[in-house]
């Protein structure tokens, strides 16, 4: 008589609380891990998988993706979740808002969000959830309903939308954001969003630690002035020009403003997104000292850890920008010092014909964002190992920490009672990044030609293999994760 559906043997299991990988087996029943131990009898399992001595990492909880910006949402859910599987991602939390891009409509989330759920249902190969951005006064009032009815517990403010569009200066905020003409998306609105999120925490005290606000920290006024300066001077081009047009102190100033507003409103659960520079992280750490009662979490992306303005191509235009090498090195210092809470992809598939305008080499007409979920864990393992980053810290930053913050209670660890989400990683496999090998529909990658020395070979979602020997297998079985999940 069998006791397990699947038994995975001959693997080195990585967990956030084990300082070294351990040679143990993983027993799975009904989509959950039921035992992690050495020497489990294979006769007890219906199916036995030989892990070939590879590492078994917890399935990545990629807490920052964007489905549906540049492609229809249902198409992105299908294709970009395939890229997720390639990168060991088993849970994707994607940002969504009303306004131009995404569904290209305004109005109440009561009408908007069911359309989002319908568009993604039975399309994704990985589990998924959504962060929502309250763009209007009406949306702030909807926060408790979003928590209670739909299990949305995380929200977002795009600070630079004050007078910037997604790609550059915007003179018509109302039409871009599709908000009422008598409303403004400004610091006052950010304050009221914080008060609305805090009110939800007080209304649902059992969920309070899992209800949070994330902020894209850039300062529109600084960006406007510097973009004008860079364009008028005309001495810089490409990624160097974009970096100069959105300087690091713009991030630092926005972090400081957001932090004080959190202090003023009494909202303690603040996530500072995609910090790209020494100045940005320095500001975040200063704010933690100034306001120790605020539980700040600090995020960086794998793109900002792997690429700089000289090594990446123009496809790497993103907000905030890719930075010079000295900022990349600074981010790694903070990662190694334990100052960064999680690493994400900020995956936003932008196909070639959409990404590049005319002239093709003009960074200021190119669109912002690119895919990268397929390189998240391989990139972090490859570069992290070279720098002495322990595997258990990688598991902590890619799975355990984001799962805990965002209410994914059964995700983030290879342990009894958790969903059987994990991936097998060959950490002795050197390969060259080629966009043609990606399951994403994006035809290019900023990482083209980068050499990595770790590769995800197999990915399991709730005990079912969704990536086998590097190829996506099976039909979409990803579920919407109403939180707490």
């Amino acid at each position: 008589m069998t006791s397990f559906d699947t038994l995975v043997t001959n693997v080195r299991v990585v967990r956030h609380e084990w300082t070294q990988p351990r040679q143990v087996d993983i027993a799975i029943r009904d989509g959950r891990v039921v035992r992690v131990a050495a020497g489990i009898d294979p006769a007890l399992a219906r199916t036995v998988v030989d892990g070939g001595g590879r590492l078994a990492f917890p399935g990545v909880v990629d807490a920052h993706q964007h489905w549906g910006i540049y492609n229809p949402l249902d198409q992105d859910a299908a294709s970009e979740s395939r890229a997720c599987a390639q990168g060991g991602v088993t849970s994707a939390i994607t940002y969504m808002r009303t306004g131009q891009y995404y569904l290209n409509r305004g109005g109440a989330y009561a009408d908007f969000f069911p359309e989002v759920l319908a568009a993604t249902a039975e399309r994704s190969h990985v589990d998924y959830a959504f962060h929502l951005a309250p763009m209007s006064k009406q949306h702030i009032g909807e926060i408790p309903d979003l928590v209670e009815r739909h299990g949305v517990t995380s929200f977002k403010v795009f600070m630079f939308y004050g007078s910037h569009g997604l790609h550059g200066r915007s003179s018509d905020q109302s039409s871009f954001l599709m908000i009422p003409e008598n409303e403004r998306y400004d610091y006052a609105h950010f304050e009221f969003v914080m008060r609305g999120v805090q009110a939800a925490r007080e209304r649902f005290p059992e969920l309070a630690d899992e209800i949070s606000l994330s902020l894209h920290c850039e300062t529109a006024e600084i960006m406007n002035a510097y973009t004008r300066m860079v364009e008028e001077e005309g001495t810089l081009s490409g990624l160097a020009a974009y970096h100069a047009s959105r300087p690091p102190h713009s991030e630092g100033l926005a972090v400081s403003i957001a932090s004080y507003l959190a202090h003023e409103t009494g909202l303690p659960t603040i996530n500072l997104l995609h910090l790209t520079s020494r100045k940005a992280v320095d500001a975040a750490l200063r704010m933690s000292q100034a306001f120790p009662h605020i539980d700040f979490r600090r995020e960086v992306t794998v793109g900002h850890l792997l690429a700089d303005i000289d090594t990446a191509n123009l496809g790497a235009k993103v907000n905030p920008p890719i930075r010079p090498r000295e900022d990349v090195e600074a981010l790694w210092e903070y990662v190694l010092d334990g100052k960064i809470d999680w690493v994400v992809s900020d995956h936003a598939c932008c196909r070639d014909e959409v990404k590049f305008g005319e002239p093709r080499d003009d960074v200021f007409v190119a669109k912002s964002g690119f895919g990268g979920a397929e390189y998240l864990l391989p990139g972090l393992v490859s570069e992290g190992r070279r720098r002495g980053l322990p595997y258990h810290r990688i598991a902590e930053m890619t799975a355990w920490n984001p799962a805990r913050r965002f209410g994914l209670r059964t995700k983030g660890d290879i342990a009894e009672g958790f969903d059987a989400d994990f991936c097998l990683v060959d950490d002795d496999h050197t390969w060259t990044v080629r966009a043609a090998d990606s399951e994403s529909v994006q035809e290019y990658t900023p990482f083209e030609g980068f050499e990595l020395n770790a590769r995800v070979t197999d990915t399991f979602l709730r005990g079912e293999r969704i990536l086998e020997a590097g190829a996506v297998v099976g039909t979409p079985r990803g579920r919407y994760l109403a939180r707490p999940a």
Side-chain angles (χ1 to χ4, degrees):
M1 181 177 179
T2 60
S3 298
F4 313 123
D5 298 326
T6 304
L7 180 68
V8 181
T9 65
N10 192 19
V11 287
R12 295 172 289 146
V13 170
V14 179
R15 297 184 60 212
H16 67 282
E17 59 183 27
W18 292 351
T19 57
Q20 295 291 332
R22 297 185 186 178
Q23 192 86 29
V24 291
D25 303 331
I26 306 168
I28 301 162
R29 184 172 58 240
D30 297 330
R32 294 281 180 96
V33 175
V34 292
R35 193 175 171 197
V36 179
I40 300 176
D41 184 358
L44 296 175
R46 183 177 299 111
T47 301
V48 177
V49 176
D50 183 349
R54 285 163 288 179
L55 295 164
F57 273 90
V60 173
V61 177
D62 188 353
H64 194 145
Q65 292 199 15
H66 298 270
W67 294 355
I69 297 186
Y70 301 114
N71 306 307
L73 178 57
D74 60 337
Q75 293 180 22
D76 261 4
S79 63
E80 304 317 294
S81 66
R82 295 174 68 88
C84 287
Q86 287 183 297
V89 176
T90 52
S91 298
I93 315 182
T94 182
Y95 284 95
M96 185 65 56
R97 61 162 173 79
T98 56
Q100 290 184 20
Y101 297 94
Y102 301 98
L103 297 188
N104 284 306
R105 52 166 290 191
Y109 274 122
D111 301 319
F112 181 94
F113 194 58
E115 288 190 23
V116 170
L117 296 178
T120 51
E122 300 181 352
R123 302 286 293 174
S124 176
H125 288 264
V126 302
D127 286 351
Y128 58 96
F130 294 96
H131 312 282
L132 295 180
M135 309 304 294
S136 66
K137 181 178 179 181
Q138 179 186 33
H139 291 165
I140 298 173
E142 291 186 281
I143 290 174
D145 191 58
L146 290 167
V147 173
E148 194 165 32
R149 282 189 58 211
H150 293 298
V152 176
T153 58
S154 48
F155 303 89
K156 184 176 182 180
V157 160
F158 301 83
M159 294 183 73
F160 72 96
Y161 280 166
S163 58
H164 243 65
L166 183 57
H167 312 296
R169 292 189 298 277
S170 174
S171 59
D172 189 354
Q173 185 190 69
S174 296
S175 64
F176 172 64
L177 300 180
M178 297 183 183
I179 59 176
E181 290 188 6
N182 63 342
E183 293 189 23
R184 295 292 300 166
Y185 193 79
D186 55 16
Y187 292 141
H189 179 74
F190 307 160
E191 175 190 332
F192 297 140
V193 170
M194 289 184 178
R195 294 191 186 281
V197 174
Q198 176 56 16
R201 294 180 73 256
E202 293 169 359
R203 178 167 170 175
F204 306 106
E206 71 283 4
L207 303 178
D209 288 344
E210 297 165 317
I211 297 175
S212 65
L213 180 67
S214 300
L215 295 106
H216 180 133
C217 294
E218 290 185 283
T219 315
E221 294 81 0
I222 298 291
M223 289 158 47
N224 281 336
Y226 275 75
T227 298
R228 189 175 298 111
M229 286 169 51
V230 171
E231 289 181 317
E232 288 176 354
E233 290 175 1
T235 58
L236 295 174
S237 62
L239 298 179
Y242 202 60
H243 153 69
S245 75
R246 299 173 81 121
H249 72 274
S250 167
E251 285 188 87
L253 179 58
V255 166
S256 303
I257 293 169
S259 300
Y260 187 82
L261 286 177
H263 166 67
E264 168 64 22
T265 60
L267 175 61
T269 45
I270 295 292
N271 312 309
L272 302 173
L273 302 183
H274 43 42
L275 301 170
T276 71
S277 61
R278 183 181 296 278
K279 288 182 178 179
V281 182
D282 176 70
L285 295 174
R286 290 174 186 271
M287 292 302 100
S288 291
Q289 293 177 337
F291 307 117
H293 52 292
I294 306 295
D295 180 15
F296 293 105
R297 302 295 171 91
R298 294 173 289 272
E299 170 189 286
V300 298
T301 81
V302 69
H304 290 99
L305 289 172
L306 295 182
D308 63 48
I309 60 174
D310 296 312
T311 61
N313 56 50
L314 192 62
K317 179 182 177 180
V318 69
N319 304 328
I322 297 295
R323 301 295 186 190
R325 176 50 50 173
E326 52 264 34
D327 279 314
V328 176
E329 295 303 322
L331 292 182
W332 274 107
E333 289 177 24
Y334 291 124
V335 165
L336 293 169
D337 286 347
K339 301 295 196 302
I340 302 302
D341 293 287
W342 54 75
V343 179
V344 298
S345 71
D346 198 0
H347 186 101
C349 175
C350 186
R351 299 187 69 163
D352 187 281
E353 66 269 23
V354 176
K355 178 78 174 188
F356 303 102
E358 291 295 336
R360 185 179 172 88
D361 61 353
D362 188 341
V363 73
F364 290 106
V365 300
K367 297 294 192 295
S368 301
F370 56 84
E374 60 270 57
Y375 313 117
L376 177 47
L377 190 58
L380 198 55
V381 171
S382 297
E383 186 67 12
R385 180 175 58 180
R386 187 176 72 81
R387 295 169 178 269
L389 180 65
Y391 286 154
H392 76 282
R393 284 278 294 121
I394 295 175
E396 182 179 52
M397 290 189 295
T398 59
W400 180 254
N401 284 352
R404 302 284 73 71
R405 179 60 136 190
F406 293 116
L408 301 179
R409 297 177 181 178
T410 63
K411 307 290 189 181
D413 195 9
I414 301 175
E416 293 181 13
F418 282 75
D419 287 357
D421 296 354
F422 57 92
C423 59
L424 304 185
V425 175
D426 183 347
D427 62 346
D428 187 26
H429 181 110
T430 299
W431 59 289
T432 302
V433 172
R434 302 294 182 203
D437 298 328
S438 170
E439 290 281 355
S440 170
V441 298
Q442 182 176 286
E443 308 93 332
Y444 64 91
T445 174
F447 312 118
E448 187 77 23
F450 282 33
E451 188 174 277
L452 303 180
N453 52 36
R455 190 158 204 166
V456 175
T457 63
D458 298 75
T459 302
F460 293 77
L461 177 68
R462 283 177 275 105
E464 298 287 337
R465 190 145 36 183
I466 61 173
L467 185 81
E468 183 173 6
V472 176
V473 295
T475 57
R477 56 172 61 92
R479 298 173 182 169
Y480 170 64
L481 301 171
R483 293 169 283 159

